[in-house]
Amino acid sequence: MEFKRSIIITGGAGFIGSHVVRLFVNKYPEYHIINLDKLTYAGNLANLKDIEDRPNYTFVKADICDFDTIMALLPEYHVDGIIHLAAESHVDRSIKDPFTFARTNVMGTLSLLQAAKLYWESLPEKYEGKRFYHISTDEVYGALELTHPEGVKSDVSAHEVYGDEFFLETTKYNPHSPYSASKASSDHFVRAFHDTYGMPTVVTNCSNNYGPYQFPEKLIPLFINNIRHRKPLPVYGKGENVRDWLYVVDHARAIDVIFHEGKTAETYNIGGFNEWKNIDIIKVIIKTVDRLLGNPEGYSLDLITYVTDRMGHDLRYAIDSRKLKAELGWEPSLQFEEGIEKTVRWYLDHQEWMDNVTSGDYQKYYDNMYKDR
Ligand code: NAD
Ligand code: TYD
């Protein structure tokens, strides 16, 4: 079958990647979507069961660091677009094992860039009609102050805000964790490939995502699962850190718009203007899970356990995504209350998925990561 476009999505078996793959496979039957994923502990093909038999979908198990394999794949599939999400993504793991983060996030991104450069430059039309889209995080900008620890109403946000400043596309990079340092480095390489070789790149920096299929090492799925099993909820520090939460399907929608309409060499921030203190979000999760499980209100509050803070824990992230709205018309479709309800319901209804990723091989890998070296 002749396809109009051939797009590699890296990290398509992970949390955000699986939503992006699903959106593209369903929305663009005329595109060939190639999901390239190493299937680390965070990648799971069960995330894509509903679309795996589609004629416009192909899965390739590969490591982005394996330059020779990528070099062979690009001409094999006549790839004209790369949407790059594959990464090591968990801050706590980066603190234990920074090398893995540098390898995948920095060297892996460089390997993809160099392979794309060599392949696209070998074609008669070169970079025309091509796009290298790199997905990054707001964490590269560092941390913001909590100038309003109690939260104040603001005209830019549907929710309360906890500080006067927001991350803009022009905010200077100032990463603090090995994870954010590795992502920052990869962002710089992507921009360097545009500035040096003229590669048509685009970079987006998004706030914290939540929704179905997130690996339960991250706050929201971990806490939903722990509440269900009456396990302690480890709140780092005082629970005062602020994150800006976006429903993952809204991130996937933004990626679609930016892949097609974003300007070459631009950066777009993606966020929901939806700041929450960790402790407040944790209380919302507890309330929602208790209600859906038929527990009395406040039943699981006793599971909250304050633990030693994360090293170098960034205080506040808050994205200003007005550029994306003004230039490309994107804005979040879901209010947080609706998104969190959908999310909690999804995890409670998909216990089998949760049991699978928290047992067997998965758990072995996970335990190995955390054992003392
Ligand atoms: P995830 O950890 O759920 O998934 C990562 C995927 O990448 C997995 O399927 C894994 O198997 C794959 N992968 C890892 N190393 C690989 C390698 N060497 N070669 C090929 N595949 C490999 O991550 P996520 O939360 O879905 O994040 C996806 C991207 O979005 C990342 O680049 C992350 O930095 C970025 N991001 C995430 C968030 C968030 O809140 N989760 C927010 C902003 C940006
Ligand atoms: P996380 O989901 O790991 O995302 P990120 O570190 O990329 O923001 O954590 C979200 C927030 O929740 C962060 O401030 C750390 C905090 N947190 C806890 O308090 N306890 C936990 O067990 C986890 C995983 C996170």
Side-chain angles (χ1 to χ4, degrees), residues 339-369:
I340 204 76
E341 173 92 16
K342 272 172 95 115
T343 302
V344 171
R345 272 186 197 279
W346 189 87
Y347 285 101
L348 296 181
D349 289 348
H350 291 79
Q351 192 57 42
E352 204 184 316
W353 180 91
M354 184 63 88
D355 290 344
N356 176 36
V357 301
T358 51
S359 63
D361 284 351
Y362 269 107
Q363 203 52 50
K364 253 184 262 153
Y365 186 96
Y366 194 57
D367 290 345
N368 274 340
M369 286 304 306

mmCIF file of all heavy atoms in Angstrom, residues 339-369:
data_model
loop_
_atom_site.group_PDB
_atom_site.id
_atom_site.type_symbol
_atom_site.label_atom_id
_atom_site.label_comp_id
_atom_site.label_asym_id
_atom_site.label_seq_id
_atom_site.Cartn_x
_atom_site.Cartn_y
_atom_site.Cartn_z
ATOM 1 N N GLY A 339 -10.671 15.316 34.055
ATOM 2 C CA GLY A 339 -9.535 14.486 33.672
ATOM 3 C C GLY A 339 -9.137 13.527 34.781
ATOM 4 O O GLY A 339 -8.838 12.350 34.532
ATOM 5 N N ILE A 340 -9.148 14.001 36.009
ATOM 6 C CA ILE A 340 -8.705 13.138 37.113
ATOM 7 C C ILE A 340 -9.748 12.055 37.380
ATOM 8 O O ILE A 340 -9.407 10.907 37.672
ATOM 9 C CB ILE A 340 -8.344 13.970 38.391
ATOM 10 C CG1 ILE A 340 -7.356 13.194 39.276
ATOM 11 C CG2 ILE A 340 -9.533 14.370 39.203
ATOM 12 C CD1 ILE A 340 -5.967 13.161 38.800
ATOM 13 N N GLU A 341 -11.009 12.393 37.215
ATOM 14 C CA GLU A 341 -12.080 11.386 37.374
ATOM 15 C C GLU A 341 -11.911 10.272 36.325
ATOM 16 O O GLU A 341 -11.947 9.086 36.642
ATOM 17 C CB GLU A 341 -13.432 12.106 37.222
ATOM 18 C CG GLU A 341 -14.648 11.204 37.187
ATOM 19 C CD GLU A 341 -15.277 10.980 38.568
ATOM 20 O OE1 GLU A 341 -14.963 11.761 39.502
ATOM 21 O OE2 GLU A 341 -16.056 10.017 38.692
ATOM 22 N N LYS A 342 -11.686 10.688 35.075
ATOM 23 C CA LYS A 342 -11.489 9.697 33.999
ATOM 24 C C LYS A 342 -10.282 8.820 34.292
ATOM 25 O O LYS A 342 -10.281 7.609 34.060
ATOM 26 C CB LYS A 342 -11.196 10.431 32.669
ATOM 27 C CG LYS A 342 -12.398 10.820 31.864
ATOM 28 C CD LYS A 342 -11.959 11.701 30.697
ATOM 29 C CE LYS A 342 -11.743 10.883 29.439
ATOM 30 N NZ LYS A 342 -12.689 11.213 28.385
ATOM 31 N N THR A 343 -9.224 9.476 34.802
ATOM 32 C CA THR A 343 -7.963 8.773 35.044
ATOM 33 C C THR A 343 -8.115 7.753 36.166
ATOM 34 O O THR A 343 -7.712 6.588 36.029
ATOM 35 C CB THR A 343 -6.864 9.806 35.397
ATOM 36 O OG1 THR A 343 -6.771 10.721 34.317
ATOM 37 C CG2 THR A 343 -5.518 9.152 35.642
ATOM 38 N N VAL A 344 -8.707 8.183 37.272
ATOM 39 C CA VAL A 344 -8.869 7.250 38.398
ATOM 40 C C VAL A 344 -9.742 6.086 37.968
ATOM 41 O O VAL A 344 -9.409 4.916 38.216
ATOM 42 C CB VAL A 344 -9.468 7.973 39.635
ATOM 43 C CG1 VAL A 344 -9.827 6.966 40.714
ATOM 44 C CG2 VAL A 344 -8.497 9.017 40.165
ATOM 45 N N ARG A 345 -10.848 6.378 37.273
ATOM 46 C CA ARG A 345 -11.728 5.297 36.787
ATOM 47 C C ARG A 345 -10.951 4.323 35.915
ATOM 48 O O ARG A 345 -11.108 3.113 36.014
ATOM 49 C CB ARG A 345 -12.866 5.884 35.941
ATOM 50 C CG ARG A 345 -14.062 6.281 36.736
ATOM 51 C CD ARG A 345 -15.197 6.716 35.786
ATOM 52 N NE ARG A 345 -16.186 7.472 36.520
ATOM 53 C CZ ARG A 345 -17.136 6.920 37.266
ATOM 54 N NH1 ARG A 345 -17.249 5.617 37.339
ATOM 55 N NH2 ARG A 345 -17.986 7.671 37.942
ATOM 56 N N TRP A 346 -10.111 4.885 35.017
ATOM 57 C CA TRP A 346 -9.365 4.011 34.101
ATOM 58 C C TRP A 346 -8.470 3.041 34.881
ATOM 59 O O TRP A 346 -8.474 1.844 34.611
ATOM 60 C CB TRP A 346 -8.515 4.840 33.111
ATOM 61 C CG TRP A 346 -7.922 3.956 32.050
ATOM 62 C CD1 TRP A 346 -8.500 3.596 30.873
ATOM 63 C CD2 TRP A 346 -6.659 3.257 32.107
ATOM 64 N NE1 TRP A 346 -7.681 2.724 30.188
ATOM 65 C CE2 TRP A 346 -6.540 2.499 30.917
ATOM 66 C CE3 TRP A 346 -5.629 3.201 33.042
ATOM 67 C CZ2 TRP A 346 -5.435 1.697 30.635
ATOM 68 C CZ3 TRP A 346 -4.517 2.391 32.760
ATOM 69 C CH2 TRP A 346 -4.432 1.651 31.575
ATOM 70 N N TYR A 347 -7.726 3.563 35.862
ATOM 71 C CA TYR A 347 -6.819 2.663 36.610
ATOM 72 C C TYR A 347 -7.613 1.644 37.413
ATOM 73 O O TYR A 347 -7.230 0.475 37.491
ATOM 74 C CB TYR A 347 -5.856 3.463 37.506
ATOM 75 C CG TYR A 347 -4.763 4.124 36.686
ATOM 76 C CD1 TYR A 347 -4.822 5.468 36.350
ATOM 77 C CD2 TYR A 347 -3.686 3.381 36.202
ATOM 78 C CE1 TYR A 347 -3.840 6.070 35.577
ATOM 79 C CE2 TYR A 347 -2.695 3.973 35.422
ATOM 80 C CZ TYR A 347 -2.779 5.314 35.109
ATOM 81 O OH TYR A 347 -1.815 5.889 34.325
ATOM 82 N N LEU A 348 -8.727 2.054 38.005
ATOM 83 C CA LEU A 348 -9.513 1.103 38.789
ATOM 84 C C LEU A 348 -10.129 0.035 37.876
ATOM 85 O O LEU A 348 -10.250 -1.123 38.264
ATOM 86 C CB LEU A 348 -10.600 1.826 39.595
ATOM 87 C CG LEU A 348 -10.077 2.793 40.673
ATOM 88 C CD1 LEU A 348 -11.238 3.434 41.435
ATOM 89 C CD2 LEU A 348 -9.115 2.115 41.662
ATOM 90 N N ASP A 349 -10.486 0.426 36.654
ATOM 91 C CA ASP A 349 -11.083 -0.539 35.709
ATOM 92 C C ASP A 349 -10.033 -1.394 35.008
ATOM 93 O O ASP A 349 -10.391 -2.311 34.259
ATOM 94 C CB ASP A 349 -11.868 0.206 34.609
ATOM 95 C CG ASP A 349 -13.140 0.830 35.142
ATOM 96 O OD1 ASP A 349 -13.522 0.505 36.277
ATOM 97 O OD2 ASP A 349 -13.730 1.666 34.426
ATOM 98 N N HIS A 350 -8.767 -1.045 35.118
ATOM 99 C CA HIS A 350 -7.715 -1.791 34.397
ATOM 100 C C HIS A 350 -6.687 -2.356 35.375
ATOM 101 O O HIS A 350 -5.482 -2.196 35.190
ATOM 102 C CB HIS A 350 -7.041 -0.895 33.343
ATOM 103 C CG HIS A 350 -7.955 -0.564 32.205
ATOM 104 N ND1 HIS A 350 -8.919 0.404 32.295
ATOM 105 C CD2 HIS A 350 -8.086 -1.110 30.970
ATOM 106 C CE1 HIS A 350 -9.593 0.454 31.160
ATOM 107 N NE2 HIS A 350 -9.098 -0.457 30.339
ATOM 108 N N GLN A 351 -7.200 -3.037 36.381
ATOM 109 C CA GLN A 351 -6.322 -3.616 37.393
ATOM 110 C C GLN A 351 -5.358 -4.626 36.768
ATOM 111 O O GLN A 351 -4.210 -4.756 37.183
ATOM 112 C CB GLN A 351 -7.168 -4.269 38.498
ATOM 113 C CG GLN A 351 -6.390 -4.646 39.747
ATOM 114 C CD GLN A 351 -5.650 -3.450 40.377
ATOM 115 O OE1 GLN A 351 -6.197 -2.368 40.458
ATOM 116 N NE2 GLN A 351 -4.400 -3.659 40.784
ATOM 117 N N GLU A 352 -5.838 -5.290 35.703
ATOM 118 C CA GLU A 352 -4.996 -6.302 35.048
ATOM 119 C C GLU A 352 -3.742 -5.636 34.450
ATOM 120 O O GLU A 352 -2.633 -6.154 34.558
ATOM 121 C CB GLU A 352 -5.819 -6.945 33.928
ATOM 122 C CG GLU A 352 -5.356 -8.330 33.558
ATOM 123 C CD GLU A 352 -6.165 -8.840 32.367
ATOM 124 O OE1 GLU A 352 -7.404 -8.655 32.381
ATOM 125 O OE2 GLU A 352 -5.552 -9.374 31.444
ATOM 126 N N TRP A 353 -3.944 -4.479 33.836
ATOM 127 C CA TRP A 353 -2.813 -3.731 33.261
ATOM 128 C C TRP A 353 -1.829 -3.373 34.386
ATOM 129 O O TRP A 353 -0.615 -3.576 34.265
ATOM 130 C CB TRP A 353 -3.338 -2.456 32.576
ATOM 131 C CG TRP A 353 -2.252 -1.618 31.942
ATOM 132 C CD1 TRP A 353 -1.809 -1.703 30.655
ATOM 133 C CD2 TRP A 353 -1.487 -0.576 32.573
ATOM 134 N NE1 TRP A 353 -0.804 -0.771 30.445
ATOM 135 C CE2 TRP A 353 -0.588 -0.073 31.610
ATOM 136 C CE3 TRP A 353 -1.460 -0.025 33.854
ATOM 137 C CZ2 TRP A 353 0.317 0.952 31.878
ATOM 138 C CZ3 TRP A 353 -0.553 1.004 34.121
ATOM 139 C CH2 TRP A 353 0.313 1.479 33.135
ATOM 140 N N MET A 354 -2.376 -2.877 35.479
ATOM 141 C CA MET A 354 -1.540 -2.466 36.617
ATOM 142 C C MET A 354 -0.795 -3.683 37.196
ATOM 143 O O MET A 354 0.401 -3.614 37.468
ATOM 144 C CB MET A 354 -2.447 -1.814 37.669
ATOM 145 C CG MET A 354 -1.739 -1.262 38.848
ATOM 146 S SD MET A 354 -0.596 0.087 38.444
ATOM 147 C CE MET A 354 -1.645 1.513 38.528
ATOM 148 N N ASP A 355 -1.521 -4.809 37.350
ATOM 149 C CA ASP A 355 -0.879 -6.014 37.910
ATOM 150 C C ASP A 355 0.254 -6.462 36.992
ATOM 151 O O ASP A 355 1.318 -6.860 37.449
ATOM 152 C CB ASP A 355 -1.897 -7.147 38.059
ATOM 153 C CG ASP A 355 -2.892 -6.855 39.175
ATOM 154 O OD1 ASP A 355 -2.615 -5.958 39.998
ATOM 155 O OD2 ASP A 355 -3.952 -7.509 39.208
ATOM 156 N N ASN A 356 0.021 -6.384 35.688
ATOM 157 C CA ASN A 356 1.037 -6.808 34.735
ATOM 158 C C ASN A 356 2.305 -5.958 34.856
ATOM 159 O O ASN A 356 3.408 -6.494 34.962
ATOM 160 C CB ASN A 356 0.462 -6.735 33.311
ATOM 161 C CG ASN A 356 1.503 -7.071 32.278
ATOM 162 O OD1 ASN A 356 2.357 -7.921 32.500
ATOM 163 N ND2 ASN A 356 1.461 -6.383 31.155
ATOM 164 N N VAL A 357 2.145 -4.643 34.893
ATOM 165 C CA VAL A 357 3.349 -3.800 34.907
ATOM 166 C C VAL A 357 4.007 -3.707 36.286
ATOM 167 O O VAL A 357 5.113 -3.194 36.407
ATOM 168 C CB VAL A 357 3.101 -2.367 34.352
ATOM 169 C CG1 VAL A 357 2.587 -2.422 32.930
ATOM 170 C CG2 VAL A 357 2.180 -1.558 35.232
ATOM 171 N N THR A 358 3.320 -4.218 37.309
ATOM 172 C CA THR A 358 3.949 -4.177 38.637
ATOM 173 C C THR A 358 4.354 -5.581 39.089
ATOM 174 O O THR A 358 4.603 -5.807 40.257
ATOM 175 C CB THR A 358 3.001 -3.559 39.695
ATOM 176 O OG1 THR A 358 1.741 -4.215 39.617
ATOM 177 C CG2 THR A 358 2.824 -2.082 39.494
ATOM 178 N N SER A 359 4.413 -6.522 38.158
ATOM 179 C CA SER A 359 4.795 -7.881 38.563
ATOM 180 C C SER A 359 5.772 -8.484 37.564
ATOM 181 O O SER A 359 6.101 -7.861 36.561
ATOM 182 C CB SER A 359 3.554 -8.761 38.655
ATOM 183 O OG SER A 359 2.991 -8.854 37.370
ATOM 184 N N GLY A 360 6.210 -9.682 37.824
ATOM 185 C CA GLY A 360 7.024 -10.451 36.873
ATOM 186 C C GLY A 360 8.272 -9.706 36.440
ATOM 187 O O GLY A 360 8.964 -9.102 37.240
ATOM 188 N N ASP A 361 8.526 -9.746 35.139
ATOM 189 C CA ASP A 361 9.734 -9.147 34.578
ATOM 190 C C ASP A 361 9.824 -7.660 34.898
ATOM 191 O O ASP A 361 10.890 -7.138 35.180
ATOM 192 C CB ASP A 361 9.734 -9.290 33.064
ATOM 193 C CG ASP A 361 10.076 -10.687 32.661
ATOM 194 O OD1 ASP A 361 10.474 -11.469 33.550
ATOM 195 O OD2 ASP A 361 9.920 -11.004 31.476
ATOM 196 N N TYR A 362 8.669 -7.019 34.797
ATOM 197 C CA TYR A 362 8.647 -5.598 35.076
ATOM 198 C C TYR A 362 9.218 -5.311 36.450
ATOM 199 O O TYR A 362 10.089 -4.496 36.640
ATOM 200 C CB TYR A 362 7.200 -5.093 35.056
ATOM 201 C CG TYR A 362 6.790 -4.613 33.713
ATOM 202 C CD1 TYR A 362 5.924 -5.356 32.938
ATOM 203 C CD2 TYR A 362 7.268 -3.415 33.230
ATOM 204 C CE1 TYR A 362 5.548 -4.919 31.694
ATOM 205 C CE2 TYR A 362 6.896 -2.982 31.988
ATOM 206 C CZ TYR A 362 6.043 -3.733 31.219
ATOM 207 O OH TYR A 362 5.691 -3.282 29.995
ATOM 208 N N GLN A 363 8.705 -6.053 37.428
ATOM 209 C CA GLN A 363 9.089 -5.774 38.792
ATOM 210 C C GLN A 363 10.569 -6.085 39.013
ATOM 211 O O GLN A 363 11.262 -5.365 39.708
ATOM 212 C CB GLN A 363 8.202 -6.555 39.770
ATOM 213 C CG GLN A 363 8.148 -5.951 41.146
ATOM 214 C CD GLN A 363 7.770 -4.457 41.115
ATOM 215 O OE1 GLN A 363 6.808 -4.082 40.479
ATOM 216 N NE2 GLN A 363 8.542 -3.613 41.772
ATOM 217 N N LYS A 364 11.039 -7.142 38.334
ATOM 218 C CA LYS A 364 12.452 -7.514 38.475
ATOM 219 C C LYS A 364 13.334 -6.361 38.002
ATOM 220 O O LYS A 364 14.275 -5.958 38.655
ATOM 221 C CB LYS A 364 12.744 -8.771 37.635
ATOM 222 C CG LYS A 364 12.940 -10.007 38.493
ATOM 223 C CD LYS A 364 13.326 -11.186 37.639
ATOM 224 C CE LYS A 364 12.118 -12.048 37.329
ATOM 225 N NZ LYS A 364 12.205 -12.805 36.103
ATOM 226 N N TYR A 365 12.969 -5.817 36.847
ATOM 227 C CA TYR A 365 13.743 -4.708 36.288
ATOM 228 C C TYR A 365 13.722 -3.518 37.251
ATOM 229 O O TYR A 365 14.726 -2.910 37.570
ATOM 230 C CB TYR A 365 13.135 -4.290 34.939
ATOM 231 C CG TYR A 365 13.951 -3.250 34.217
ATOM 232 C CD1 TYR A 365 14.864 -3.620 33.242
ATOM 233 C CD2 TYR A 365 13.823 -1.898 34.537
ATOM 234 C CE1 TYR A 365 15.624 -2.666 32.588
ATOM 235 C CE2 TYR A 365 14.578 -0.939 33.888
ATOM 236 C CZ TYR A 365 15.476 -1.332 32.915
ATOM 237 O OH TYR A 365 16.212 -0.378 32.279
ATOM 238 N N TYR A 366 12.537 -3.251 37.737
ATOM 239 C CA TYR A 366 12.324 -2.112 38.606
ATOM 240 C C TYR A 366 13.131 -2.275 39.905
ATOM 241 O O TYR A 366 13.832 -1.379 40.347
ATOM 242 C CB TYR A 366 10.823 -2.056 38.901
ATOM 243 C CG TYR A 366 10.315 -0.789 39.505
ATOM 244 C CD1 TYR A 366 10.503 0.425 38.872
ATOM 245 C CD2 TYR A 366 9.604 -0.823 40.692
ATOM 246 C CE1 TYR A 366 9.998 1.580 39.415
ATOM 247 C CE2 TYR A 366 9.088 0.334 41.237
ATOM 248 C CZ TYR A 366 9.299 1.533 40.595
ATOM 249 O OH TYR A 366 8.801 2.670 41.142
ATOM 250 N N ASP A 367 13.062 -3.481 40.476
ATOM 251 C CA ASP A 367 13.795 -3.742 41.719
ATOM 252 C C ASP A 367 15.299 -3.599 41.509
ATOM 253 O O ASP A 367 16.014 -3.060 42.339
ATOM 254 C CB ASP A 367 13.498 -5.151 42.240
ATOM 255 C CG ASP A 367 12.070 -5.256 42.752
ATOM 256 O OD1 ASP A 367 11.447 -4.194 42.955
ATOM 257 O OD2 ASP A 367 11.583 -6.382 42.911
ATOM 258 N N ASN A 368 15.773 -4.088 40.350
ATOM 259 C CA ASN A 368 17.204 -4.002 40.055
ATOM 260 C C ASN A 368 17.671 -2.553 40.022
ATOM 261 O O ASN A 368 18.759 -2.225 40.478
ATOM 262 C CB ASN A 368 17.496 -4.608 38.683
ATOM 263 C CG ASN A 368 17.698 -6.095 38.806
ATOM 264 O OD1 ASN A 368 17.983 -6.583 39.900
ATOM 265 N ND2 ASN A 368 17.536 -6.813 37.711
ATOM 266 N N MET A 369 16.824 -1.705 39.458
ATOM 267 C CA MET A 369 17.177 -0.291 39.353
ATOM 268 C C MET A 369 17.416 0.315 40.723
ATOM 269 O O MET A 369 18.190 1.228 40.894
ATOM 270 C CB MET A 369 16.044 0.518 38.709
ATOM 271 C CG MET A 369 15.862 0.334 37.237
ATOM 272 S SD MET A 369 17.351 0.694 36.327
ATOM 273 C CE MET A 369 17.716 2.335 36.924
#
